Amino acid sequence: MKKTIADLRSAFIAGTSTPVKAIEAALAVIKEQDGEIHAFLDVYDDVVEAAEAATALYKEKGNDTPPLLGIPVALKSNILIKGKRVTAGSKILEKYTAVYDATIVKRLREAGAIFIGATNMDEFAMGGSTENSAFGPTRNPVDTARVPGGSSGGSAAAVAMGAVPVAIGTDTGGSIRQPASFCGLVGFKPTYGAVSRYGLIAMGSSLDQAGPLTNSVTDAELVHNVMAGADPMDATTITEDTYSEVPLKETYTFGVPRHFMADGVDEEVLQAFDAHIELLRAAGHTIVDIELPLFEQGLAAYYIVMPAEVSSNLARFDGIRYGLSAEADNLLGVYEKSRAEGFGKEVKRRILLGTYVLSSGYYDAYYGKAELVRTMMRRELAETFKKVDIILTPTAPTPAFKLGEKEDPLAMYRQDIFTVPVNLTGVPTLSFPMGTVEQEGKQLPVGIQYIGPLGGDKRLFSIGKKVYDTR
Ligand code: GLN
């Protein structure tokens, strides 16, 4: 049985367990399983001391302690934590040590969390299976022949194998939600700007948000609340009154964009989705069909906007400022060789694509158009949220696929059909398991997405707790 933060904390307060025992248990799980799963790139050696201090504090103060005191937390390896190696899953940062804490790390630390290690990921968060890591893939604890999803696959696997009750991921186009779906977890992508990006290694700055992967919605809310809030170090963070109040209700109107699920979605995933809708109806909610024609353009727009931002963000990895530096006769040679040796295939593909769509002859035709589509998608969504409270889609069109199954990059990109429109429009989305589908004798989890209006994060937690945590 996988533990929640809530379970652990009450055991710590009651004295039936201690942070030292929890950390020892986490390390034992990692020792036993991570040889095969490979969720972690690094496991830190200073955790027992931190756990001893937390144990002493519980003895002294019990309930009157910070909300995450002594809770083991895993961090995706693109989140800066001072004095520790942070790789972004890339050879170019293989030996890079962070010199400061990300704002979210600082806040989690203040709340008492114990960082147990850094988790594996697709290189620079580009991918949907964790197979693009320069350090080898992660396997799905549910079925080790399958991927855990990505790019936060290491974080998802760390929670799914029972090492930690929470791991932090980042989501640029689905990288928290899709691994949550593949591994049977809760994953949350906040409203853009709700969580500071200061100290996250950027992929697409207008799309990136950090969020939790957990075993319950209650835990996801707790961890999100610790991390969230305006930050002077990130000018894109929002405040309480950036968006108008999104009221909580007893029953909601859910919109279902059926047309959007017509192609390429597994039959069993649709059956699980329909069963979930019946459950909502039985609980008194209203379900209506909606049209979101522009959402179908989301994938195309994302695979223009995202590489454009990637090409710009990754320009800083030049062999001089961070990480790997190749020897060459002159400065240009250092740039070229360091990048050629340091970046993997997918990263190079996206830098090329991004540079192309931003070049003067193609900017208007590609980047400009994609940004226009994005603006129109936002309007379409704003109109839709006048009629419905929450939009529902499956999180991913399939359950976890097998390692090596999606070698064609376009096949991999199609996995993102339901997740990328959310990042393009900035809205919050909660993913949690809606059931399992059977494949080759194994029960594989599949997730559902509850998409809320801008600033509607609380609404998603409130309904998510009712539907999922009390199931
Ligand atoms: N799978 C998507 C991509 O490859 C999403 C990645 C992410 O959210 N970091 O771009």
Side-chain angles (χ1 to χ4, degrees):
M1 172 69 191
K2 276 181 238 124
K3 287 220 162 60
T4 60
I5 297 175
D7 296 337
L8 278 177
R9 179 152 165 95
S10 20
F12 295 163
I13 291 169
T16 53
S17 182
T18 65
V20 170
K21 282 189 195 149
I23 289 291
E24 281 169 352
L27 293 173
V29 171
I30 294 171
K31 196 165 168 206
E32 192 188 317
Q33 294 186 45
D34 209 41
E36 184 180 14
I37 302 293
H38 194 221
F40 287 89
L41 294 177
D42 298 298
V43 178
Y44 305 141
D45 50 17
D46 52 2
V47 287
V48 176
E49 273 161 60
E52 280 165 0
T55 301
L57 205 58
Y58 272 111
K59 277 214 183 97
E60 192 192 325
K61 294 192 162 159
N63 208 357
D64 188 22
T65 43
L68 297 177
L69 183 65
I71 302 293
V73 176
L75 292 175
K76 188 175 180 178
S77 193
N78 61 351
I79 301 170
L80 300 192
I81 165 166
K82 192 176 176 179
K84 304 279 195 244
R85 183 174 86 129
V86 180
T87 64
S90 180
K91 219 177 129 192
I92 211 164
L93 292 179
E94 187 170 4
K95 300 200 175 88
Y96 176 72
T97 301
V99 292
Y100 66 94
D101 275 343
T103 297
I104 58 170
V105 167
K106 203 169 142 249
R107 291 185 181 169
L108 288 165
R109 212 190 272 292
E110 279 161 12
I114 298 180
F115 301 110
I116 193 159
T119 59
N120 198 14
M121 56 183 285
D122 286 300
E123 186 175 4
F124 284 99
M126 300 176 205
S129 70
T130 316
E131 292 167 295
N132 293 339
S133 167
F135 308 108
T138 297
R139 289 173 184 272
N140 191 326
V142 180
D143 175 356
T144 54
R146 293 173 191 272
V147 303
S151 62
S152 313
S155 288
V159 179
M161 75 188 193
V164 284
V166 53
I168 310 302
T170 59
D171 192 312
T172 305
S175 282
I176 292 173
R177 292 161 284 152
Q178 183 252 25
S181 176
F182 282 14
C183 293
L185 306 174
V186 175
F188 182 64
K189 199 294 279 179
T191 295
Y192 181 80
V195 173
S196 169
R197 291 179 294 108
Y198 180 68
L200 310 187
I201 298 177
M203 178 178 166
S205 305
S206 77
L207 307 157
D208 299 345
Q209 278 292 284
L213 288 125
T214 57
N215 288 309
S216 75
V217 178
T218 306
D219 282 1
E221 180 176 32
L222 170 65
V223 174
H224 168 76
N225 286 344
V226 165
M227 296 196 294
D231 178 12
M233 302 307 282
D234 175 359
T236 63
T237 49
I238 58 174
T239 61
E240 288 279 306
D241 44 40
T242 303
Y243 296 111
S244 45
E245 163 114 21
V246 177
L248 306 186
K249 304 179 192 170
E250 276 310 305
T251 57
Y252 290 105
T253 302
F254 289 84
V256 179
R258 279 280 162 200
H259 63 98
F260 194 36
M261 298 167 210
D263 293 323
V265 185
D266 274 15
E267 200 41 55
E268 296 95 330
V269 172
L270 286 179
Q271 278 164 14
F273 182 74
D274 287 335
H276 189 88
I277 287 181
E278 282 319 309
L279 194 137
L280 289 174
R281 222 179 244 131
H285 302 286
T286 308
I287 316 291
V288 298
D289 280 330
I290 53 168
E291 304 270 326
L292 288 168
L294 283 169
F295 262 50
E296 294 181 28
Q297 308 304 319
L299 206 53
Y302 173 79
Y303 276 95
I304 303 278
V305 170
M306 174 274 297
E309 296 189 15
V310 158
S311 73
S312 156
N313 273 326
L314 268 58
R316 74 191 65 169
F317 301 102
D318 56 5
I320 302 292
R321 282 178 281 194
Y322 309 90
L324 185 124
S325 182
E327 296 218 4
D329 296 339
N330 53 40
L331 187 60
L332 184 64
V334 173
Y335 294 162
E336 288 176 348
K337 254 181 106 187
S338 305
R339 289 167 71 82
E341 287 171 16
F343 288 143
K345 212 160 115 193
E346 183 62 25
V347 171
K348 285 179 186 158
R349 188 187 342 265
R350 296 193 192 196
I351 292 174
L352 282 175
L353 196 63
T355 311
Y356 180 83
V357 301
L358 288 176
S359 59
S360 66
Y362 297 102
Y363 185 100
D364 291 338
Y366 294 106
Y367 182 75
K369 277 238 172 69
E371 283 293 346
L372 189 67
V373 169
R374 191 177 182 185
T375 305
M376 288 164 67
M377 282 173 77
R378 284 205 187 104
R379 281 191 207 143
E380 179 177 271
L381 207 56
E383 284 306 308
T384 307
F385 278 121
K386 288 181 187 159
K387 290 173 259 165
V388 304
D389 301 313
I390 294 166
I391 296 169
L392 289 180
T393 73
T395 305
T398 66
F401 46 89
K402 293 201 173 139
L403 275 91
E405 194 182 315
K406 297 208 188 289
E407 287 202 331
D408 170 11
L410 293 183
M412 190 74 86
Y413 299 170
R414 275 197 289 274
Q415 272 290 314
D416 306 331
I417 175 147
F418 297 128
T419 47
V420 297
V422 164
N423 302 72
L424 285 171
T425 51
V427 291
T429 302
L430 180 70
S431 173
F432 57 82
M434 62 175 171
T436 56
V437 303
E438 192 178 314
Q439 271 188 16
E440 296 175 3
K442 294 239 160 116
Q443 292 296 328
L444 303 175
V446 284
I448 190 163
Q449 284 199 116
Y450 279 35
I451 306 173
L454 288 166
D457 307 46
K458 280 201 186 92
R459 173 181 286 176
L460 299 181
F461 287 130
S462 150
I463 178 76
K465 283 188 285 190
K466 273 188 209 155
V467 175
Y468 185 67
D469 288 2
T470 60
R471 69 195 180 281

